[in-house]
Amino acid sequence: MITFERLLESYKPLIAIPVVITIIALILIATMGLNQGIELKGGTVAVVQLEKPISQNELQSLISTGLPNQTVDVKSVNNNQATIDIVGDTDVVKLSSILEGTGTITSYKSVGAVLSSESLTQIYYALAFAFIFMSITVFIIFRNFVPSMAVILAALSDIIIAVGGMSLFGIPLSIASVGALLMLIGYSVDTDILLTTRILKRKEGTVTERAIEAMKTGLTMAAAAIGSMAALYLVVVFLIPAAQTLADIAAVLIIGLIADVLATWLMNLGILRWYTEARK
């Protein structure tokens, strides 16, 4: 514990760790971009009940040959069922004829270019408004510029690292993954407010002792949440691979929750300690 307390006393270099990771995430987003889901870039999602054994590559080759001008992605083939993404407008009759003798379409969803563009705009608005109202709430609660900005910067770093992870691991930006990002904003602010309240509002003990008490609660919450999302991810991958959306949500939350640990307990805590020492 003495070693851990000494580590917390050397807080200034620790602030640089989440800052550097955030910068790396921004570079990843700028250079690799984000893979958008069908509902955001327009296209077709079809679920096919297979009538004979066929590999993922063979099915993709079959459909790509029949639709030479469109991008086809066979997302999964499991339990005689395949999920297929096709970019652009697709004639369901033509797709059925391509699959004749191989499988039957049991589910078909097509999203047009106008609707997908509108969905993307709505997503940007949702994220922007969530962040703006979160920032206003934080300023109202603490009514102090430095602690409020520390909470907001930690939440911003959390979201940027999560999006950078999506870019790195090819997790598509979709309505579902945006929901995960909105959940991360709430979770990040929750732990940051817990830390800031313990450090600034309570008077018993030293700042380090109050930080350690807050850290016990915060890290327990984070470990429980990460464990739950890891279990969900493994269940989907090994038992229900057709539910890929759930795996994407779990992956985004795992990345964001790990980022939140760094942003809250290294960056936000470091800024708060710096602030409390400057006030003395």
Side-chain angles (χ1 to χ4, degrees):
M1 184 59 73
I2 293 175
T3 304
F4 184 66
E5 288 182 356
R6 286 180 178 173
L7 179 66
L8 289 181
E9 296 293 339
S10 307
Y11 60 89
K12 291 180 182 176
L14 298 179
I15 297 175
I17 295 175
V19 172
V20 170
I21 296 175
T22 303
I23 293 171
I24 292 173
L26 285 172
I27 293 172
L28 286 173
I29 297 167
T31 56
M32 299 178 66
L34 275 175
N35 180 25
Q36 294 180 352
I38 285 293
E39 64 266 38
L40 298 183
K41 61 184 177 185
T44 299
V45 179
V47 178
V48 176
Q49 185 66 40
L50 298 174
E51 298 171 0
K52 63 180 183 181
I54 185 170
S55 71
Q56 196 164 334
N57 290 335
E58 289 171 338
L59 182 59
Q60 177 143 340
S61 175
L62 173 68
I63 302 172
S64 297
T65 303
L67 302 171
N69 297 322
Q70 292 179 261
T71 302
V72 178
D73 182 16
V74 178
K75 305 293 287 185
S76 65
V77 175
N78 187 267
N79 296 328
N80 295 324
Q81 194 174 72
T83 303
I84 304 159
D85 286 358
I86 305 172
V87 177
D89 294 331
T90 305
D91 187 341
V92 65
V93 176
K94 185 176 182 180
L95 181 60
S96 296
S97 67
I98 294 170
L99 294 168
E100 189 173 356
T102 303
T104 304
I105 298 174
T106 57
S107 173
Y108 182 87
K109 181 177 72 175
S110 183
V111 181
V114 174
L115 183 58
S116 60
S117 175
E118 183 64 24
S119 297
L120 189 59
T121 303
Q122 294 293 330
I123 281 175
Y124 290 145
Y125 277 129
L127 288 171
F129 278 114
F131 214 86
I132 289 170
F133 284 114
M134 177 274 291
S135 303
I136 293 172
T137 304
V138 169
F139 272 107
I140 291 173
I141 291 173
F142 293 110
R143 300 180 182 180
N144 195 313
F145 181 77
V146 174
S148 299
M149 282 305 300
V151 172
I152 294 167
L153 288 175
L156 182 62
S157 172
D158 187 2
I159 298 302
I160 290 174
I161 294 173
V163 176
M166 291 171 64
S167 177
L168 179 63
F169 296 110
I171 301 170
L173 179 68
S174 63
I175 293 175
S177 59
V178 168
L181 293 175
L182 292 173
M183 289 170 63
L184 281 176
I185 292 176
Y187 185 88
S188 175
V189 172
D190 193 26
T191 53
D192 287 315
I193 288 178
L194 166 72
L195 170 65
T196 307
T197 302
R198 293 279 179 91
I199 295 292
L200 299 184
K201 303 291 185 182
R202 293 192 176 181
K203 303 300 179 186
E204 63 273 16
T206 64
V207 172
T208 299
E209 290 170 345
R210 295 200 293 269
I212 290 173
E213 286 300 314
M215 191 175 288
K216 287 177 182 176
T217 305
L219 291 181
T220 301
M221 292 165 54
I226 292 171
S228 300
M229 289 303 108
L232 173 62
Y233 182 82
L234 292 174
V235 166
V236 171
V237 169
F238 291 107
L239 299 180
I240 45 174
Q244 182 60 39
T245 301
L246 287 177
D248 291 341
I249 293 173
V252 173
L253 288 174
I254 290 170
I255 297 169
L257 290 167
I258 294 172
D260 181 63
V261 171
L262 300 175
T264 300
W265 306 109
L266 298 184
M267 184 165 69
N268 191 9
L269 177 56
I271 294 173
L272 287 174
R273 288 186 62 91
W274 205 336
Y275 171 73
T276 52
E277 289 182 5
R279 285 202 308 176
K280 292 178 181 178

